[in-house]
Amino acid sequence: MTLLSAARAVRENAHAPYSRFKVGAAIRGADGAIHVGCNVENIASPEGTCAEAGAIAAMVAAGCREIVEVAVIADGPAPVTPCGGCRQKLAEFARPDVPVTMATLSGEALTMTVAELLPGAFSAAHMGDRP
């Protein structure tokens, strides 16, 4: 299964009764495993969870701490980018050169790096020497 097909498959499990905008994400960890997530909306908006955040949580729960590739898919007119919060979450676990492929159900795709999606990401370097 490809990363994009894993994202497409998990997208079907999204809980999006309010926006009806289902999103699926798949990430490949440094261990080679694929971890998936879908958006989970909540009536008490914005208490839902983004697909990318769900995939990252699944990766961390499995014991992996490094992302080497990302795929996100939604049914929109153009490839949907991760939100700002998810861009920072991706930057927490991915090097700046990690590719993020964003796709539509109709097959249009756009690939950018984490650094292109979030230039000037906040990082541990900004924290200085902390114990």
Side-chain angles (χ1 to χ4, degrees):
M1 177 176 274
T2 68
L3 208 58
L4 198 52
S5 63
R8 180 184 289 266
V10 76
R11 179 190 164 277
E12 294 304 317
N13 296 334
H15 177 73
Y18 312 109
S19 71
R20 293 182 175 74
F21 190 74
K22 294 182 176 185
V23 181
I27 56 178
R28 187 178 317 279
D31 60 359
I34 295 175
H35 307 278
V36 297
C38 57
N39 59 319
V40 179
E41 294 179 352
N42 187 296
I43 189 66
S45 183
E47 294 303 315
T49 304
C50 294
E52 300 89 338
I56 291 168
M59 179 191 75
V60 171
C64 186
R65 296 286 191 274
E66 184 182 354
I67 298 170
V68 297
E69 187 180 4
V70 180
V72 181
I73 191 167
D75 188 17
V80 64
T81 62
C83 72
C86 284
R87 292 176 194 207
Q88 184 64 51
K89 288 174 180 76
L90 290 169
E92 179 76 14
F93 295 97
R95 289 188 317 269
D97 63 343
V98 165
V100 179
T101 299
M102 300 150 287
T104 66
L105 294 181
S106 64
E108 185 178 346
L110 171 66
T111 300
M112 299 174 72
T113 65
V114 169
E116 289 171 324
L117 284 170
L118 186 63
F122 185 75
S123 71
H126 293 104
M127 298 294 291
D129 292 333
R130 303 246 188 252

